[in-house]
Amino acid sequence: MSSPTRSADRTPGKLPLVVLVLAAGTFLMGTTEFVVAGLLPEMAGDLGVSVSRAGLLITAFALGMVVGSPLMTIATLHLPRRTTLVLALLMFALGQVIVALSSSFAVVLAARVLTALATGAFWSVAAVVATAAAGPARSSRALGLLIGGLTLANVIGVPLGTWVGQYGGWRSPFWILGVLATAAAAAIGRFIPDDTHRETPSVRAELAALRSGRLWLALSAAALIMGGVMATYSYISPLLTDRAGVPEWAVPLVLVGFGAGALIGTTTGGRLGDHHPTATTVTAATAASLTLFLLIPFSSTTMGAIVLVALMGLTGFAVNPVISALAIRFAGSAPTLAAALSTSAFNVGIAFGSLAGGIALNSSLGDTGPVLVGAVLAALTLAPLGALARTHEPARPETTARPPVSEGTGTPHPEPDEAGTHRADADCTTV
């Protein structure tokens, strides 16, 4: 008679518990990245700098992610993945403590860069561990759950962190994040399997995978779709208050709607993308572009703006888990580096979209300028996606006569069952 754990592992559609544990880590990191935006006035006043200068704390984090993700991946290539994840969370926790203790803006800025490096290392390794644990048939869904942790941070973590910072002092949320990250490190050490004896590729082999043209097409799509969404989202407040007539107190509620839409988008995109990656990404990118174009005229009405902002989150974020899974697949022997580069690509989109949206906002286009920039960038996403579709990549990974080696364990994946799905390892609880 099989054990309850083994029986649960064979339940179709279930993801291993390790994916949920890793998603909790991405939730913490997404919260710390964006909570600063809600606390800028308080932080600026306490650290003795202007609000615009305090905004560098956000820029520094994004740039640290762009540069740090691939660099940290190479630096930790030969470490066991469980060790890398635990160290990344502890370094993340240290960054929160430094921010909470320091009264120097320069030190806080440096701590934000340190935190970004830890976040980049965690995400790139977590993406590989999650997709390996989930199996080829559920890789997009697993990445959807990881990205969902980041999205949930915008729905719950950032508003809650802002509220705590406003009433308990801006340092309070950083103390809380530091404690939670330490607890998450202990959980990671408990649930992530040991892969000390896995074969690790050389740095040269990792870099050789960068010759894949399909990888760069996937990364381009990731940057463009995120740039399109963030060009609009970064300046959504003046659009809502000045053009749509939304009261200032209701703006956070509209943003919760955006976050909820993004959470649904990542979950749905991950599920559909496992079976139909091309159709999912092309349809979602087309819908995102159309939504943003419609937001230009309909942002003059309150209800139209509220609905379209939620749809912007749903359609734009549906692309992310699928394109990340494709990047990892196209990288072949360098999945960790590919995951790091996809993180960098998303942050390039955030940086460029926000910059271009700000320029458009100050132009004659006014409040609708960022939306127009976002719509164009989302439409341009169809170019690399169309090129990927012409490569005739199979919708689902093909099975071979010899079972593929499982990432992180050095053992073969079990053969597919009659339903065509892979059985999870016996020691992985499913969710």
Side-chain angles (χ1 to χ4, degrees), residues 60-282:
F61 195 100
L63 293 178
M65 287 284 288
V66 170
V67 178
S69 293
L71 290 181
M72 292 296 290
T73 296
I74 296 298
T76 61
L77 187 61
H78 295 287
L79 287 177
R81 286 175 178 150
R82 181 170 67 182
T83 301
T84 300
L85 291 170
V86 171
L87 289 177
L89 279 167
L90 292 178
M91 187 165 71
F92 175 89
L94 177 62
Q96 309 310 303
V97 173
I98 293 174
V99 170
L101 288 174
S102 179
S103 58
S104 166
F105 177 76
V107 172
V108 172
L109 190 67
R112 291 285 290 175
V113 174
L114 175 69
T115 303
L117 294 176
T119 300
F122 182 90
W123 167 255
S124 57
V125 175
V128 175
V129 172
T131 53
R138 295 174 292 178
S139 59
S140 290
R141 185 181 167 199
L143 284 174
L145 188 58
L146 284 189
I147 297 174
L150 297 174
T151 307
L152 193 63
N154 285 306
V155 180
I156 299 176
V158 172
L160 184 60
T162 300
W163 180 81
V164 170
Q166 289 174 344
Y167 288 92
W170 69 264
R171 301 175 190 274
S172 301
F174 294 100
W175 280 116
I176 295 173
L177 286 167
V179 171
L180 292 177
T182 304
I188 292 291
R190 165 67 178 83
F191 289 105
I192 302 300
D194 184 20
D195 63 346
T196 303
H197 302 295
R198 71 181 173 91
E199 291 186 14
T200 56
S202 65
V203 173
R204 179 177 297 180
E206 288 275 318
L207 296 178
L210 300 184
R211 292 197 294 264
S212 170
R214 291 183 298 179
L215 170 62
W216 289 104
L217 286 173
L219 295 176
S220 298
L224 285 169
I225 192 65
M226 185 56 67
V229 173
M230 293 307 296
T232 305
Y233 181 77
S234 297
Y235 305 97
I236 199 68
S237 291
L239 182 77
L240 292 174
T241 56
D242 299 341
R243 184 171 171 82
V246 176
E248 287 188 8
W249 62 266
V251 170
L253 298 178
V254 179
L255 298 184
V256 168
F258 168 85
L263 185 60
I264 295 171
T266 55
T267 303
T268 305
R271 286 180 176 271
L272 297 177
D274 281 327
H275 302 279
H276 308 288
T278 299
T280 301
T281 52
V282 170

Side-chain angles (χ1 to χ4, degrees), residues 294-376:
L294 289 175
L295 186 57
I296 296 174
F298 285 101
S299 60
S300 59
T301 65
T302 301
M303 188 53 62
I306 293 173
V307 171
L308 288 170
V309 166
L311 287 176
M312 176 179 69
L314 190 153
T315 56
F317 277 77
V319 179
N320 297 351
V322 190
I323 210 67
S324 295
L326 289 176
I328 292 174
R329 188 194 308 177
F330 296 150
S333 62
T336 309
L337 183 58
L341 289 173
S342 67
T343 302
S344 295
F346 286 129
N347 279 275
V348 166
I350 292 172
F352 177 78
S354 299
L355 176 63
I359 294 173
L361 181 66
N362 292 326
S363 71
S364 59
L365 296 171
D367 293 335
T368 59
V371 188
L372 179 60
V373 170
V376 171

